[in-house]
Amino acid sequence: MERYDKTVEDIDMIIVCTLTPDFKTPSVASSIKVRLNINNTGAMDLKVACAGFTYELYATYSLYN
């Protein structure tokens, strides 16, 4: 956030792509949301393997278009 001069209030959605999360619940994205104390944002994990990055880009694009 420092690199791009952003704050937590600028974050709309936290999307984490992983096949090996630390826990089944809560999701990794939710854990990040709590750790950064971000209240008004969405959070979701996409549990996919090798195609995860491409799938995440498509999912993010779909949310905002």
Side-chain angles (χ1 to χ4, degrees):
M1 288 185 281
E2 290 174 11
R3 181 178 185 176
Y4 295 103
D5 194 30
K6 299 291 181 186
T7 65
V8 293
E9 289 81 19
D10 296 318
I11 299 172
D12 295 327
M13 179 69 114
I14 299 171
I15 302 173
V16 174
C17 233
T18 183
L19 184 60
T20 56
D22 296 335
F23 311 101
K24 287 186 178 182
T25 185
S27 70
V28 177
S30 294
S31 298
I32 291 170
K33 180 178 173 174
V34 169
R35 184 167 286 190
L36 294 178
N37 196 25
I38 304 171
N39 297 317
N40 298 318
T41 189
M44 70 180 190
D45 282 6
L46 299 175
K47 294 183 175 108
V48 291
C50 298
F53 181 72
T54 305
Y55 190 77
E56 178 270 331
L57 286 175
Y58 181 77
T60 304
Y61 177 81
S62 298
L63 289 171
Y64 293 99
N65 288 306

